[in-house]
Amino acid sequence: MTENTSGDAPEPSKPSKSPEPSGVDLARVALRAAKDAARARGDAAQQKKQARRGGLRSGARADGRDPMALGSAINRLITERGWEAPAAVGGVMGRWPQIVGEDVAKHCVPERYDEDERVLAVRCDSTAWATNLRLLAPTLVARLNEDLGHGTVQLIKVQGPGGPARRYGPLRAPGSTGPGDTYG
């Protein structure tokens, strides 16, 4: 032991900046590393064993090759392909009478949805209903976006009734639409 002859107080030891892990903490870290290494060795051994048996086979535990319910398979496909908006609009087409009301649904039917332009095309059975739906279009767009998410439908394109089928024959002028000129 050395004595302090100058009469000064002994210097306190400098505290370390970060506490070093104690024995218990070191043991936990080592155990976690050993478990991870064993799991990795087990996975590699399992794959080698399956390769020797002639490929992957089904076992008692669930894995990615097991069959799944149709609904979850369809939901997974929709998510993977990015079809959420078209699928939602398709659901709206199925619920059209609840969204627009029974009276409007009797006379107006949604035909298609253009995802790029975000336009819903609706066909009406008469020009009067087409005019009525054109007046209701901003309200319907707001209601549809409330149901589907903001910006899903930006415009409703209303189409009037289709004209009669064009008949081709010897007395027709090429390029004429005949009585179909008055529809739409």
Side-chain angles (χ1 to χ4, degrees), residues 65-153:
R65 298 170 292 132
D66 288 342
M68 59 175 40
L70 181 63
S72 57
I74 289 174
N75 288 337
R76 181 174 152 192
L77 179 69
I78 287 172
T79 303
E80 287 175 356
R81 302 288 171 106
W83 295 339
E84 288 92 0
V89 172
V92 164
M93 289 183 180
R95 294 181 289 123
W96 184 251
Q98 290 86 17
I99 293 172
V100 298
E102 293 294 327
D103 293 339
V104 176
K106 287 178 188 175
H107 301 283
C108 303
V109 179
E111 285 191 333
R112 67 185 167 277
Y113 173 71
D114 185 3
E115 184 179 4
D116 296 331
E117 297 180 17
R118 300 184 187 274
V119 174
L120 178 66
V122 179
R123 177 153 319 265
C124 298
D125 62 359
S126 70
T127 54
W129 274 103
T131 304
N132 189 19
L133 193 65
R134 284 185 188 105
L135 295 173
L136 292 174
T139 307
L140 285 177
V141 167
R143 190 178 303 164
L144 289 170
N145 284 331
E146 180 181 303
D147 190 33
L148 300 173
H150 182 67
T152 305
V153 177

Side-chain angles (χ1 to χ4, degrees), residues 36-49:
D36 291 341
R39 189 173 300 119
R41 281 192 311 270
D43 289 345
Q46 181 76 14
Q47 289 174 354
K48 284 182 186 178
K49 197 185 298 184

